[in-house]
Amino acid sequence: WAIGCFCIGTNQVDLGAAADRGIAVFNAPFANTRSVAEVTIAEIVALHRRLFDRSAALHGGRWKKSASGAHEVRGRTLGIVGYGRIGSQVSVLAEAIGMRVIHFDVSDVLSLGNASAASSLDDLLRESDVVSLHVPESSRTSGLIGARELALMKPGAMLINNARGSVVDLDALADALREGRLGGAAVDVFPTEPVENDAEFSCPLAGLENVILTPHIGGSTIEAQRSIADDVSSKLARFMNNGSTITAVNMPEVDLPVLHPKQDRILHYHRNVPGVLGKINSAIAETGVNISAEYLQSNARHSYVIVDVNAGQDLAIRDRLREIPETIRVRTIR
């Protein structure tokens, strides 16, 4: 009936194939927002204070007490690329510790607090002391930050990628860091990632100074995992018990009231072509059943119709609806 992705991304599922079979796909787009925002702020501070380098030196038995290269973040400019759920959270937290925030997004979004929108990505890169990426994976964002974009950044500026591994050219970033044009980087996502723990891993950034590498754990907190589990499970339960597809990523979204005890619910998912709704209503009318409520949503390829009828005739109606050629899936709820 449905697939639950206990995460934000859904690229591990063939969404089109699932939709063609009437299988709803749900994810948890908001559940780890705070966790990613918090780790981004932590990385901004850690990079400016060179905390990982100082810690590595002590672990290696060397005492390196120095203020060289260490700075406060207060008063510095943070450029956020992608001002959605996570980017806007980072914006609020960054302002709270005294940073100036600018942002760039392909959509027209409302700036929070004292943040302001940059006129272009290039302008944001030129103006920012830290650039933090929070964009989805798409054809538009693949290779978004390459050698050209890195060359636009301020000397000594820092780059953080907690978005997707395809967004940044890691070889170009490594070159910019080795040449001293950038002051540091934090990367949590990579173009190719191991599928299991303790696997071998290599990266062009490994071994470079003031570079934080983490194994895709930006949203990995106990709180976020609990929130994801609650969110996706509740969506699956609503779909199974009520038929609601609200927030499904691959099907028309229909939000439904609780089913009345004296009614049955017919869920009909079909190809979106002219005349199907008429066939559905005719089939129901021919059984002599009264329709008490009807809900419909469509996209370019599919339609989802939910019909509440008087109790007791749902099986007869279901059999009639299955005979409609455009039908993909029919289900009843009592």
mmCIF file of all heavy atoms in Angstrom, residues 299-319:
data_model
loop_
_atom_site.group_PDB
_atom_site.id
_atom_site.type_symbol
_atom_site.label_atom_id
_atom_site.label_comp_id
_atom_site.label_asym_id
_atom_site.label_seq_id
_atom_site.Cartn_x
_atom_site.Cartn_y
_atom_site.Cartn_z
ATOM 1 N N ASN A 299 -3.059 14.940 -10.361
ATOM 2 C CA ASN A 299 -1.868 15.564 -10.927
ATOM 3 C C ASN A 299 -1.859 15.232 -12.417
ATOM 4 O O ASN A 299 -2.863 14.756 -12.958
ATOM 5 C CB ASN A 299 -0.594 15.108 -10.206
ATOM 6 C CG ASN A 299 -0.391 13.598 -10.239
ATOM 7 O OD1 ASN A 299 -0.829 12.907 -11.167
ATOM 8 N ND2 ASN A 299 0.277 13.063 -9.221
ATOM 9 N N ALA A 300 -0.776 15.474 -13.090
ATOM 10 C CA ALA A 300 -0.754 15.304 -14.542
ATOM 11 C C ALA A 300 -1.004 13.863 -14.977
ATOM 12 O O ALA A 300 -1.540 13.617 -16.062
ATOM 13 C CB ALA A 300 0.579 15.793 -15.106
ATOM 14 N N ARG A 301 -0.663 12.888 -14.142
ATOM 15 C CA ARG A 301 -0.741 11.487 -14.552
ATOM 16 C C ARG A 301 -1.823 10.692 -13.828
ATOM 17 O O ARG A 301 -2.369 9.748 -14.394
ATOM 18 C CB ARG A 301 0.608 10.808 -14.312
ATOM 19 C CG ARG A 301 1.747 11.388 -15.152
ATOM 20 C CD ARG A 301 3.073 10.768 -14.774
ATOM 21 N NE ARG A 301 3.050 9.311 -14.937
ATOM 22 C CZ ARG A 301 3.965 8.502 -14.408
ATOM 23 N NH1 ARG A 301 4.938 8.999 -13.671
ATOM 24 N NH2 ARG A 301 3.881 7.199 -14.612
ATOM 25 N N HIS A 302 -2.111 11.059 -12.576
ATOM 26 C CA HIS A 302 -2.983 10.210 -11.775
ATOM 27 C C HIS A 302 -4.043 11.038 -11.040
ATOM 28 O O HIS A 302 -3.858 12.237 -10.801
ATOM 29 C CB HIS A 302 -2.160 9.416 -10.746
ATOM 30 C CG HIS A 302 -1.114 8.559 -11.367
ATOM 31 N ND1 HIS A 302 0.245 8.803 -11.222
ATOM 32 C CD2 HIS A 302 -1.206 7.466 -12.169
ATOM 33 C CE1 HIS A 302 0.923 7.884 -11.886
ATOM 34 N NE2 HIS A 302 0.075 7.062 -12.472
ATOM 35 N N SER A 303 -5.115 10.360 -10.666
ATOM 36 C CA SER A 303 -6.172 10.960 -9.843
ATOM 37 C C SER A 303 -6.485 10.028 -8.682
ATOM 38 O O SER A 303 -6.397 8.798 -8.801
ATOM 39 C CB SER A 303 -7.442 11.190 -10.668
ATOM 40 O OG SER A 303 -7.251 12.197 -11.632
ATOM 41 N N TYR A 304 -6.854 10.643 -7.586
ATOM 42 C CA TYR A 304 -7.196 9.897 -6.381
ATOM 43 C C TYR A 304 -8.569 10.370 -5.929
ATOM 44 O O TYR A 304 -8.752 11.530 -5.573
ATOM 45 C CB TYR A 304 -6.144 10.161 -5.309
ATOM 46 C CG TYR A 304 -6.267 9.331 -4.050
ATOM 47 C CD1 TYR A 304 -6.633 7.997 -4.086
ATOM 48 C CD2 TYR A 304 -5.982 9.903 -2.812
ATOM 49 C CE1 TYR A 304 -6.719 7.242 -2.927
ATOM 50 C CE2 TYR A 304 -6.058 9.165 -1.644
ATOM 51 C CZ TYR A 304 -6.429 7.829 -1.701
ATOM 52 O OH TYR A 304 -6.521 7.091 -0.550
ATOM 53 N N VAL A 305 -9.545 9.474 -5.973
ATOM 54 C CA VAL A 305 -10.918 9.794 -5.607
ATOM 55 C C VAL A 305 -11.308 8.974 -4.389
ATOM 56 O O VAL A 305 -11.090 7.753 -4.354
ATOM 57 C CB VAL A 305 -11.898 9.481 -6.764
ATOM 58 C CG1 VAL A 305 -13.324 9.846 -6.363
ATOM 59 C CG2 VAL A 305 -11.501 10.225 -8.020
ATOM 60 N N ILE A 306 -11.870 9.671 -3.399
ATOM 61 C CA ILE A 306 -12.334 8.999 -2.197
ATOM 62 C C ILE A 306 -13.827 9.259 -2.071
ATOM 63 O O ILE A 306 -14.275 10.411 -2.119
ATOM 64 C CB ILE A 306 -11.599 9.494 -0.943
ATOM 65 C CG1 ILE A 306 -10.099 9.153 -1.050
ATOM 66 C CG2 ILE A 306 -12.173 8.842 0.313
ATOM 67 C CD1 ILE A 306 -9.275 10.196 -1.706
ATOM 68 N N VAL A 307 -14.611 8.181 -1.916
ATOM 69 C CA VAL A 307 -16.061 8.280 -1.843
ATOM 70 C C VAL A 307 -16.536 7.633 -0.548
ATOM 71 O O VAL A 307 -16.208 6.462 -0.272
ATOM 72 C CB VAL A 307 -16.731 7.589 -3.045
ATOM 73 C CG1 VAL A 307 -18.251 7.763 -2.962
ATOM 74 C CG2 VAL A 307 -16.194 8.146 -4.357
ATOM 75 N N ASP A 308 -17.284 8.385 0.263
ATOM 76 C CA ASP A 308 -17.917 7.840 1.459
ATOM 77 C C ASP A 308 -19.366 7.488 1.122
ATOM 78 O O ASP A 308 -20.104 8.326 0.578
ATOM 79 C CB ASP A 308 -17.872 8.850 2.613
ATOM 80 C CG ASP A 308 -16.463 9.049 3.155
ATOM 81 O OD1 ASP A 308 -15.566 8.269 2.773
ATOM 82 O OD2 ASP A 308 -16.260 9.988 3.949
ATOM 83 N N VAL A 309 -19.756 6.260 1.421
ATOM 84 C CA VAL A 309 -21.090 5.770 1.081
ATOM 85 C C VAL A 309 -21.736 5.142 2.316
ATOM 86 O O VAL A 309 -21.058 4.852 3.310
ATOM 87 C CB VAL A 309 -21.042 4.733 -0.061
ATOM 88 C CG1 VAL A 309 -20.444 5.341 -1.313
ATOM 89 C CG2 VAL A 309 -20.233 3.501 0.370
ATOM 90 N N ASN A 310 -23.039 4.905 2.236
ATOM 91 C CA ASN A 310 -23.730 4.215 3.316
ATOM 92 C C ASN A 310 -23.130 2.831 3.522
ATOM 93 O O ASN A 310 -22.756 2.149 2.565
ATOM 94 C CB ASN A 310 -25.220 4.086 3.004
ATOM 95 C CG ASN A 310 -25.911 5.442 3.007
ATOM 96 O OD1 ASN A 310 -25.402 6.410 3.560
ATOM 97 N ND2 ASN A 310 -27.076 5.505 2.377
ATOM 98 N N ALA A 311 -23.040 2.429 4.754
ATOM 99 C CA ALA A 311 -22.364 1.174 5.099
ATOM 100 C C ALA A 311 -23.069 -0.036 4.503
ATOM 101 O O ALA A 311 -24.287 -0.055 4.322
ATOM 102 C CB ALA A 311 -22.280 1.046 6.614
ATOM 103 N N GLY A 312 -22.255 -1.059 4.175
ATOM 104 C CA GLY A 312 -22.803 -2.340 3.776
ATOM 105 C C GLY A 312 -22.678 -2.684 2.309
ATOM 106 O O GLY A 312 -22.903 -3.835 1.925
ATOM 107 N N GLN A 313 -22.323 -1.719 1.450
ATOM 108 C CA GLN A 313 -22.269 -1.987 0.009
ATOM 109 C C GLN A 313 -20.861 -1.790 -0.564
ATOM 110 O O GLN A 313 -20.700 -1.751 -1.780
ATOM 111 C CB GLN A 313 -23.239 -1.055 -0.727
ATOM 112 C CG GLN A 313 -24.684 -1.245 -0.355
ATOM 113 C CD GLN A 313 -25.207 -2.591 -0.815
ATOM 114 O OE1 GLN A 313 -24.858 -3.071 -1.880
ATOM 115 N NE2 GLN A 313 -26.051 -3.212 0.002
ATOM 116 N N ASP A 314 -19.866 -1.681 0.291
ATOM 117 C CA ASP A 314 -18.525 -1.343 -0.186
ATOM 118 C C ASP A 314 -17.928 -2.419 -1.085
ATOM 119 O O ASP A 314 -17.239 -2.118 -2.064
ATOM 120 C CB ASP A 314 -17.588 -1.061 0.989
ATOM 121 C CG ASP A 314 -17.448 -2.258 1.914
ATOM 122 O OD1 ASP A 314 -18.491 -2.728 2.404
ATOM 123 O OD2 ASP A 314 -16.312 -2.702 2.141
ATOM 124 N N LEU A 315 -18.182 -3.698 -0.799
ATOM 125 C CA LEU A 315 -17.570 -4.769 -1.603
ATOM 126 C C LEU A 315 -18.164 -4.813 -3.002
ATOM 127 O O LEU A 315 -17.444 -5.007 -3.989
ATOM 128 C CB LEU A 315 -17.755 -6.111 -0.897
ATOM 129 C CG LEU A 315 -17.054 -6.241 0.463
ATOM 130 C CD1 LEU A 315 -17.278 -7.633 1.046
ATOM 131 C CD2 LEU A 315 -15.565 -5.951 0.335
ATOM 132 N N ALA A 316 -19.474 -4.620 -3.106
ATOM 133 C CA ALA A 316 -20.104 -4.604 -4.432
ATOM 134 C C ALA A 316 -19.593 -3.444 -5.262
ATOM 135 O O ALA A 316 -19.313 -3.576 -6.465
ATOM 136 C CB ALA A 316 -21.635 -4.524 -4.274
ATOM 137 N N ILE A 317 -19.447 -2.294 -4.621
ATOM 138 C CA ILE A 317 -18.932 -1.116 -5.330
ATOM 139 C C ILE A 317 -17.484 -1.348 -5.754
ATOM 140 O O ILE A 317 -17.085 -1.020 -6.881
ATOM 141 C CB ILE A 317 -19.038 0.132 -4.435
ATOM 142 C CG1 ILE A 317 -20.506 0.428 -4.112
ATOM 143 C CG2 ILE A 317 -18.377 1.334 -5.100
ATOM 144 C CD1 ILE A 317 -20.682 1.521 -3.079
ATOM 145 N N ARG A 318 -16.696 -1.918 -4.865
ATOM 146 C CA ARG A 318 -15.285 -2.157 -5.176
ATOM 147 C C ARG A 318 -15.151 -3.046 -6.410
ATOM 148 O O ARG A 318 -14.321 -2.784 -7.294
ATOM 149 C CB ARG A 318 -14.597 -2.816 -3.981
ATOM 150 C CG ARG A 318 -13.099 -3.029 -4.176
ATOM 151 C CD ARG A 318 -12.494 -3.740 -2.997
ATOM 152 N NE ARG A 318 -13.040 -5.094 -2.876
ATOM 153 C CZ ARG A 318 -12.753 -5.921 -1.859
ATOM 154 N NH1 ARG A 318 -11.976 -5.515 -0.882
ATOM 155 N NH2 ARG A 318 -13.270 -7.139 -1.825
ATOM 156 N N ASP A 319 -15.946 -4.088 -6.483
ATOM 157 C CA ASP A 319 -15.874 -4.994 -7.636
ATOM 158 C C ASP A 319 -16.242 -4.272 -8.932
ATOM 159 O O ASP A 319 -15.637 -4.504 -9.988
ATOM 160 C CB ASP A 319 -16.800 -6.188 -7.411
ATOM 161 C CG ASP A 319 -16.298 -7.091 -6.297
ATOM 162 O OD1 ASP A 319 -15.097 -7.009 -5.972
ATOM 163 O OD2 ASP A 319 -17.110 -7.858 -5.748
#
